[in-house]
Amino acid sequence: MMRFGTLLIALHLGMLSTSVFAHQVYVSYDQNQQTHNVLDTSTTVDATGSTLTTSFDLTEQWQWSFNVGRASGSEPFNERLSTDLDTKHLSSTMSFYQDAWSYTLNVARYRDEVAVLRPDAREIYTSSASSPSISVAAQYQFPIANWYFGLDVGLSYGEYEIDSVATRDRNVTTRTQEDSTSVTASIGLTASYWIELTQTQSLYIGSSVYWDQVLDSDHSQTQIRATRTPRTGQPATVRRQQFEGGYRDENSGQLSVFATYGFASDWSLSASYAHPLNSDYSDNGFSVMLGYQF
């Protein structure tokens, strides 16, 4: 979902970057799938939500944007249990445009909360994950007739912190804490086509592909297992284990298609679909966005 949300922002900012001192606001309906490892099992949850994006042209070359969104969903875990998912994301981007080049600095934070519930709503598993990141990117865009092509490269630093608690029965509780950091390089290609329908209506369609390559990563994990005696309810044994190993994320990418219909001069309606490449932790995503330029 991270790349999907970033793509939507980049798409619309790139389209409107030629306007002088134009400000935009977008409201979107988002639907995506997320895969999580829960109780030694991979479970997929369909989440729906909304995103608010605003961008402001500070000068002819500088632009600032802000993005905030939330999504949630619930799916059966098995015949007796259900999985609840709640996600939030927040990001801020500063962009500089010069001729066919653009440069961006992005700061973002994502938070996922997952819970597995019994029929009586008692939690047997909870997980809270936070992933702040900072990234820089450069994009070169050039037109050929009504076609627009873009190439962008980027570098990002991200952290991943997760705290999960599993209660398999009333007497055994396992708490797992993970801390990861990574440095990732990315490259993306975009091809789009612009069609003028009338003086106030236009259609903009295209596709893009991105690839993220992990350059360096570090991962540590601490697991605490507490076993209580049935009679007293007090901890009988507490076992702590620490691990050092590889980063949980692998090299991955995303393929996306999008379409934007501009109408009434200042309004636009967009749709975008994203499919992951070589990723075990994110799935297909779909978004519909309504935008206004003022």
Side-chain angles (χ1 to χ4, degrees):
M1 187 177 180
M2 294 183 187
R3 169 65 66 184
F4 185 49
T6 304
L7 171 65
L8 286 176
I9 300 174
L11 166 63
H12 291 282
L13 295 186
M15 288 177 54
L16 299 170
S17 62
T18 56
S19 300
V20 178
F21 293 101
H23 312 303
Q24 300 91 33
V25 58
Y26 304 101
V27 178
S28 70
Y29 167 80
D30 309 313
Q31 185 177 40
N32 65 87
Q33 294 177 325
Q34 291 193 32
T35 300
H36 294 265
N37 287 330
V38 177
L39 299 176
D40 302 324
T41 301
S42 293
T43 181
T44 300
V45 180
D46 290 323
T48 59
S50 59
T51 299
L52 173 66
T53 301
T54 58
S55 65
F56 303 91
D57 285 354
L58 306 179
T59 68
E60 292 184 11
Q61 294 179 302
W62 288 95
Q63 187 179 70
W64 175 76
S65 65
F66 179 77
N67 177 275
V68 59
R70 183 172 183 176
S72 60
S74 180
E75 297 289 340
F77 182 75
N78 55 29
E79 294 181 356
R80 299 184 61 252
L81 306 176
S82 62
T83 303
D84 286 357
L85 170 66
D86 185 73
T87 68
K88 304 182 181 81
H89 65 268
L90 180 71
S91 68
S92 178
T93 304
M94 183 65 72
S95 303
F96 176 76
Y97 298 93
Q98 186 175 33
D99 299 326
W101 289 90
S102 63
Y103 309 90
T104 60
L105 171 66
N106 176 267
V107 179
R109 188 179 188 90
Y110 296 83
R111 185 174 183 86
D112 293 337
E113 295 182 353
V114 181
V116 177
L117 308 176
R118 293 183 182 273
D120 59 3
R122 187 167 69 89
E123 297 176 343
I124 67 168
Y125 175 87
T126 59
S127 174
S128 177
S130 178
S131 54
S133 65
I134 182 171
S135 61
V136 292
Q139 182 186 66
Y140 180 75
Q141 188 177 48
F142 60 95
I144 299 179
N146 287 347
W147 286 91
Y148 292 86
F149 300 92
L151 169 66
D152 65 86
V153 293
L155 187 67
S156 65
Y157 170 81
E159 299 179 357
Y160 183 83
E161 302 171 355
I162 183 170
D163 189 351
S164 60
V165 178
T167 305
R168 295 185 179 275
D169 57 52
R170 295 182 181 274
N171 301 316
V172 180
T173 300
T174 302
R175 181 174 185 176
T176 304
Q177 296 174 313
E178 296 182 62
D179 294 287
S180 303
T181 60
S182 68
V183 177
T184 304
S186 62
I187 185 171
L189 296 171
T190 302
S192 55
Y193 188 75
W194 181 76
I195 305 172
E196 183 178 10
L197 303 176
T198 66
Q199 290 184 346
T200 59
Q201 299 180 64
S202 62
L203 183 62
Y204 189 81
I205 58 176
S207 179
S208 64
V209 59
Y210 284 87
W211 184 260
D212 294 329
Q213 186 78 23
V214 178
L215 303 179
D216 187 33
S217 62
D218 182 63
H219 176 78
S220 64
Q221 182 186 98
T222 300
Q223 190 174 89
I224 304 173
R225 182 181 177 90
T227 304
R228 300 177 182 274
T229 57
R231 292 183 179 180
T232 64
Q234 298 299 316
T237 57
V238 177
R239 185 176 63 184
R240 178 188 294 267
Q241 293 179 294
Q242 291 184 323
F243 306 91
E244 300 288 339
Y247 189 58
R248 72 188 298 272
D249 277 347
E250 297 179 347
N251 303 323
S252 61
Q254 185 184 75
L255 176 65
S256 302
V257 293
F258 53 85
T260 297
Y261 170 63
F263 60 98
S265 299
D266 301 324
W267 290 88
S268 64
L269 182 64
S270 306
S272 180
Y273 173 79
H275 179 74
L277 304 174
N278 194 44
S279 176
D280 295 329
Y281 298 98
S282 62
D283 295 271
N284 300 321
F286 175 76
S287 180
V288 177
M289 178 180 291
L290 179 66
Y292 177 71
Q293 177 177 294
F294 59 95

